[in-house]
Amino acid sequence: MTSPIALDDAAASPVSRTSATSAAAAGAAAAAASAGRVIGACPHDCPDTCSFVTTVQDGVAVKLQGNPDHFHTAGVLCTKVSRYLERNAHEGRLVQPMKRVGPKGSGRFEPVGWDEALDHIVRELKRRADRPETIVPYSYAGTMGLVQGESMDRRFFHKLGASLLDRTICSTAGGEAFGYTLGGKVGMRVEFFAESKLILIWGSNSIGSNLHFWRHAQAARRAGARLVCIDPRKSETADKCDEHVALLPGTDAALALSMMHELIVNDWLDHAYIAAHTVGWEQLRERALQWPPSRAAVVCGVPETQIVALAGAYGTTRPAAIRLNYGMQRVHGGGNAARAVACLPALVGAWRERAGGVLLSSSGQFPVDRAALHRPDLLAGRRPRTINMTTIGDALLDRAHPVEVLFVYNSNPVAIAPDSSKVVQGFARDDLFTVVLEQFQTDTADYADYVLPATTQLEHWDIHFSYGHTDVLLNRPALAPRGEARSNTWVFRELARRMGYDEPCFVDDDETLCRAAYPPAVLDFDELQQRGFASLRIPEAPFAEGNFPTPSGRCEFFSARLAALGLDGLPDHVPNRELPGSSARYPLAMISPPARNFLNSTFVNVQSLRSMEGEPLLEINPVDAASRGIADGAVVRVFNDRGEYRCRAEVSARARPGVVNGLGIWWRKLGLAGTNVNELTSQALTDIGRGPTFYDCLVEVAADA
Ligand SMILES: Nc1nc2c(c(=O)[nH]1)N[C@H]1C(S)=C(S)[C@@H](COP(=O)(O)OP(=O)(O)OC[C@H]3O[C@@H](n4cnc5c(=O)[nH]c(N)nc54)[C@H](O)[C@@H]3O)O[C@H]1N2
Ligand SMILES: Nc1nc2c(c(=O)[nH]1)N[C@H]1C(S)=C(S)[C@@H](COP(=O)(O)OP(=O)(O)OC[C@H]3O[C@@H](n4cnc5c(=O)[nH]c(N)nc54)[C@H](O)[C@@H]3O)O[C@H]1N2
Ligand code: SF4
Ligand SMILES: [Mo]
């Protein structure tokens, strides 16, 4: 693995080793191209996992394009990543280690050498040799790459005996719900949505967050399919569907149960499929019969006729497919809601065809060898405590079980974690030693004792899975690292060496880690090296004959595993903790879905993308705006007992009455008053999966005085 993949011109020109040497010298263990076209993978937390091609001239990236040879990418990148070169060359890139010189949060730092920074960090770690649990890693999917995201870092913290991190911030409610129901993050193949005749786009703004799926939905529509969007917000996707069901946030289980009611009373059921391939039908039937559409209409805040029509379409159209996304599980009952939706395809036998069923995430289909990457054996029998990343605010303020050292990478918790005022208070603790390994000076980096500069996807190796398709992608570095930036793996290798860890796994280079990610039998690594991607060999209609990866081998309407935990074995409607209409002081429900031109808090600092988003916005329905004297474009105060946040009101029918939409996770320091939407969200957890409840949040909005 020494030369870049040659697509055309690079094949003719010899690969210069000059930049490769500087890359290696900089510790990237990478052979960057000085000229040619290099195939990589988009690292972002997005279901599409695109393959991209970087054109390099004289060691400089001059073009980045979607790979036309990769079926799922189809030569197209989203607007965000088509600006990746702007991000990479950004003047704000961190290019040398820095040490804090001002108060925490002030963002005042001075440059230091790598040796000084790493030696100091190692001293702080060694000082806690008798209490390693006070050291906490904090990382998420800043890169989805298996190497830079979950390999050397995990090994290092396992050997150290640091606290474990429960990585719940996005998908555990729905993910575990699917585990209990279907057996894992498994389901339809994305490409077969193109053959469906009815597609329910449920809790997903696909045009913004899953563009390459939208392509298949459009193909289906051209062939006569009907598209229905189920979302409290009239999103860009809702605009383009045939129908929009604008339910209240957190009421999806009620909708799904009343759809089941209609399937039962009209006998739109596949009795043979239910008998052969499901568990708990009688109990589910009884539960669903308690949910006539008239009842669900009140709970969901949508017309009864719309529910009846939706159930009718689902009961009588073949093949019918559901694209579920994580937007619907960020509420108290998110796990139950995902379970209720996951039951629908089995009831109508949709799984019999490859264009029927449901897809939430495809990631469970990748046989990643996480034990080889993470090496949990390095814990050597120790069982450190686990910290839930969603409640990092409370964890940092817990004096009984102190966190003394926090090591943040691949995440921006000060911006993205709920209940920011607590998070900020925790990060501001003078007795907390914080290291932030980052590409940019984020809100989180402002609170670091040491900021360490990280490489980008154009500068390091990686290997990828996907949660929206079923191809493995390889990412080769196209460029030498900027300045003194180093890859995550380099940093943890160096820390391990300085700690005196002598296990051979701590010297694995990135190529070795790439190869360790998948068992050789499932992946043709040569093909991957040649093309940059390789498809998993998996069936087209995985559950046509049952064979669910659950304990029973069936779709588990009733989950004995949930019942054994003392939870409801059947899916139910579990209302929001902050129920719309339940509070006179805070009468509006706020959801805060992604902004189209940002990726979580990534890209907020990229000027061209920020210009497209404008300013932090709150969409509010004309009726709710009028009763509060709020004009379109006015600065408003959005508040609840947890805090307040200022942004601009957009008076718009994109918001349904009673619900306001705060778009995107802005960097606090780039917002209007130094806060963002998470100042308002709570640390309460979901029913299943210990996940966040960002969209279970009551607020009031007032014109700014
Ligand atoms: N452009 C862009 N793309 C992204 C992201 C981004 O920030 N920007 N984020 C990425 C990440 S981290 C993830 S996890 C994925 C998936 O990301 P998701 O967060 O699922 O993103 P969306 O597809 O935008 O879907 C969220 C939709 O759910 C709706 N919604 C909110 N509450 C409810 C509810 O109670 N019920 C229902 N039915 N709908 C509800 C919102 O209005 C929104 O339209 O997308 C990824 N892709
Ligand atoms: N209110 C509200 N809050 C939310 C959500 C919401 O919908 N509403 N969505 C939630 C969801 S779904 C998610 S997934 C989380 C996302 O939260 P995070 O996972 O924290 O995602 P980002 O905000 O994109 O921050 C990722 C950071 O990683 C850095 N990074 C990227 N690549 C590398 C690398 O190779 N090395 C290092 N060291 N750093 C790197 C980037 O520069 C970036 O600052 O946010 C959650 N927060
Ligand atoms: S963010 Fe998603 S759509 Fe955009 S390039 Fe990356 S994988 Fe593709
Ligand atoms: Mo996410």
Side-chain angles (χ1 to χ4, degrees), residues 267-463:
D267 197 22
W268 291 319
L269 298 166
D270 186 332
H271 294 281
Y273 193 91
I274 292 171
H277 305 308
T278 71
V279 173
W281 162 234
E282 281 307 321
Q283 294 113 298
L284 181 66
R285 182 174 183 281
E286 208 175 296
R287 169 85 37 106
L289 286 173
Q290 296 165 20
W291 282 95
S294 56
R295 180 180 175 199
V298 175
V299 170
C300 301
V302 299
E304 182 180 341
T305 48
Q306 196 175 30
I307 299 179
V308 171
L310 175 65
Y314 191 70
T316 60
T317 311
R318 290 289 155 274
I322 303 175
R323 181 60 170 109
L324 193 64
N325 214 331
Y326 290 113
M328 53 81 74
Q329 44 99 69
R330 298 189 186 118
V331 290
H332 180 206
N336 267 275
R339 254 172 70 60
V341 175
C343 292
L344 289 169
L347 292 172
V348 297
W351 291 117
R352 290 185 188 276
E353 290 163 86
R354 68 180 192 176
V358 59
L359 174 65
L360 171 63
S361 162
S362 57
S363 66
Q365 281 153 302
F366 290 79
V368 177
D369 191 347
R370 290 207 158 78
L373 290 174
H374 297 187
R375 295 293 305 272
D377 54 295
L378 293 165
L379 280 167
R382 293 167 297 175
R383 300 181 67 180
R385 66 172 170 176
T386 298
I387 295 217
N388 187 339
M389 73 187 303
T390 298
T391 47
I392 187 65
D394 281 347
L396 291 177
L397 298 175
D398 180 352
R399 294 290 169 181
H401 309 94
V403 177
E404 298 183 7
V405 176
L406 190 62
F407 202 117
V408 183
Y409 55 104
N410 298 344
S411 184
N412 184 11
V414 170
I416 64 85
D419 202 356
S420 310
S421 68
K422 296 250 178 71
V423 179
V424 167
Q425 220 186 314
F427 270 85
R429 272 176 43 202
D430 269 326
D431 59 343
L432 180 71
F433 182 78
T434 304
V435 180
V436 177
L437 173 57
E438 246 301 347
Q439 297 161 344
F440 290 99
Q441 189 67 31
T442 59
D443 289 330
T444 306
D446 283 348
Y447 287 88
D449 291 280
Y450 279 98
V451 177
L452 305 177
T455 46
T456 67
Q457 189 78 344
L458 299 184
E459 302 163 356
H460 56 225
W461 284 102
D462 223 321
I463 189 167

Side-chain angles (χ1 to χ4, degrees), residues 193-197 199 215-227:
F193 278 83
E195 300 165 8
S196 307
K197 289 298 171 209
I199 303 180
R215 184 169 60 109
H216 300 304
Q218 278 178 304
R221 190 149 184 252
R222 282 194 297 273
R226 190 174 164 74
L227 307 190

Side-chain angles (χ1 to χ4, degrees), residues 645-668:
Y645 162 59
R646 276 181 170 72
C647 60
R648 247 175 233 290
E650 183 164 297
V651 178
S652 159
R654 291 214 181 276
R656 55 159 290 160
V659 180
V660 288
N661 312 323
L663 296 183
I665 318 176
W666 281 71
W667 284 19
R668 288 163 63 88

Side-chain angles (χ1 to χ4, degrees), residues 52-346:
F52 59 44
V53 185
T54 310
T55 307
V56 180
Q57 280 169 11
D58 301 324
V60 175
V62 293
K63 199 159 66 176
L64 182 105
Q65 291 168 294
N67 185 349
D69 298 331
H70 181 234
F71 170 77
H72 292 288
T73 307
V76 178
L77 300 176
C78 64
T79 315
K80 307 175 286 296
V81 174
S82 64
R83 302 293 198 284
Y84 202 77
L85 296 184
E86 181 184 345
R87 183 177 188 270
N88 209 67
H90 196 290
E91 59 180 17
R93 269 289 297 283
L94 296 169
V95 290
Q96 57 197 134
M98 291 189 304
K99 179 184 176 155
R100 179 170 66 89
V101 291
K104 290 212 174 186
S106 68
R108 281 175 27 223
F109 292 89
E110 69 181 22
V112 290
W114 272 104
D115 282 331
E116 182 185 336
L118 294 176
D119 286 343
H120 189 171
I121 293 165
V122 163
R123 278 200 305 281
E124 294 290 338
L125 298 177
K126 283 187 170 166
R127 262 181 56 195
R128 283 137 181 122
D130 61 335
R131 49 183 199 288
E133 282 188 340
T134 63
I135 302 163
V136 178
Y138 195 100
S139 73
Y140 200 63
T143 169
M144 298 258 305
L146 291 162
V147 172
Q148 305 304 336
E150 45 178 314
S151 67
M152 205 50 84
D153 55 319
R154 306 297 165 99
R155 294 176 180 187
F156 180 76
F157 290 113
H158 283 148
K159 173 75 186 174
L160 195 61
S163 282
L164 302 172
L165 187 72
D166 197 5
R167 290 180 169 80
T168 54
I169 201 76
C170 171
S171 64
T172 44
E176 291 186 18
F178 266 58
Y180 288 118
T181 317
L182 305 180
K185 291 181 176 175
V186 293
M188 280 182 70
R189 291 243 298 261
V190 66
E191 54 269 40
F192 299 138
F193 278 83
E195 300 165 8
S196 307
K197 289 298 171 209
L198 173 71
I199 303 180
L200 310 188
I201 300 181
W202 200 320
S204 172
N205 181 9
S206 314
I207 295 178
S209 68
N210 191 189
L211 190 63
H212 296 78
F213 154 76
W214 180 246
R215 184 169 60 109
H216 300 304
Q218 278 178 304
R221 190 149 184 252
R222 282 194 297 273
R226 190 174 164 74
L227 307 190
V228 181
C229 180
I230 303 174
D231 193 315
R233 174 171 186 251
K234 190 167 184 299
S235 64
E236 301 89 318
T237 306
D239 288 341
K240 299 242 164 67
C241 285
D242 298 288
E243 185 157 0
H244 176 209
V245 182
L247 79 184
L248 286 166
T251 63
D252 300 87
L255 178 65
L257 285 163
S258 81
M259 286 172 68
M260 291 179 201
H261 179 281
E262 292 301 283
L263 300 178
I264 294 166
V265 299
N266 293 290
D267 197 22
W268 291 319
L269 298 166
D270 186 332
H271 294 281
Y273 193 91
I274 292 171
H277 305 308
T278 71
V279 173
W281 162 234
E282 281 307 321
Q283 294 113 298
L284 181 66
R285 182 174 183 281
E286 208 175 296
R287 169 85 37 106
L289 286 173
Q290 296 165 20
W291 282 95
S294 56
R295 180 180 175 199
V298 175
V299 170
C300 301
V302 299
E304 182 180 341
T305 48
Q306 196 175 30
I307 299 179
V308 171
L310 175 65
Y314 191 70
T316 60
T317 311
R318 290 289 155 274
I322 303 175
R323 181 60 170 109
L324 193 64
N325 214 331
Y326 290 113
M328 53 81 74
Q329 44 99 69
R330 298 189 186 118
V331 290
H332 180 206
N336 267 275
R339 254 172 70 60
V341 175
C343 292
L344 289 169

